[in-house]
Amino acid sequence: MDEDELRRSRLPSGWTPLELVRHLRFVELRWIEWGFRGEAIADPWGDHQNGRWHVPGNVSREQLVDELRAQGDRTRQVALSSDLAGRGVPGPRWSGAEPASLERVLFHLLQEYARHLGHLDIVAELAGDQSE
């Protein structure tokens, strides 16, 4: 998609493809670093503004893709160096509930990506992007 299509919404919900990319990066951050590893994250909901996904106007497509790839690398490192049955660190991500296992976290991420990539496929079709 061209830059204009990446920054516009074709859906009643109002999200844009670039907002989705940023959202997926933050989903991994919330589930892996903030949740499973229990790291202090200054703004784990930084992909939201006024109740919806948001990308600051000065953030480029390249920057968003680089950030998503870097987050994916960190997720991969955690997945490869941790036991799937291992539980996350108790903290604010879990709102007092027992932390999820890494297996559960990774399964959630797989579902999240599958769901949102289906959404993105529909948006690409609405935009007339027939490339595969």
Side-chain angles (χ1 to χ4, degrees), residues 1 8 15 18 21 23-24 36 40 49 57 63-64 68 70 73 75 80 93 97 112 114 121 126:
M1 288 183 207
R8 81 180 268 209
W15 63 263
L18 288 183
V21 170
H23 170 69
L24 288 170
F36 184 74
Q49 184 178 65
Q63 181 180 346
L64 291 169
L68 180 61
D73 288 342
T75 295
L80 292 173
R93 175 68 181 106
E112 185 98 14
D121 189 45
L126 290 171

Side-chain angles (χ1 to χ4, degrees), residues 21 41-42 45 48 53 64 66 69 90 101 106 119 125 130:
V21 170
I41 304 296
W45 301 99
H48 289 76
W53 299 342
L64 291 169
D66 288 348
R69 285 187 176 137
S101 68
L106 293 175
H119 295 150
E125 188 174 328
Q130 303 301 317

Side-chain angles (χ1 to χ4, degrees), residues 19-49 52-54 68 71-72 74-75 78 88-95 99-102 105-106 108-109 112-113 115-116:
E19 289 170 346
L20 177 60
V21 170
R22 189 163 190 242
H23 170 69
L24 288 170
R25 184 258 168 156
F26 272 86
V27 165
E28 286 193 44
L29 175 79
R30 284 190 289 272
W31 281 91
I32 295 294
E33 294 184 46
W34 189 43
F36 184 74
R37 293 188 62 180
E39 295 178 8
I41 304 296
D43 188 6
W45 301 99
D47 56 328
H48 289 76
Q49 184 178 65
R52 61 174 309 249
W53 299 342
H54 173 74
L68 180 61
Q71 189 68 54
R74 289 192 293 278
T75 295
V78 170
V89 175
R93 175 68 181 106
W94 309 111
S95 301
S101 68
L102 179 59
V105 167
L106 293 175
H108 175 82
L109 290 175
E112 185 98 14
Y113 269 88
R115 181 172 43 256
H116 287 317

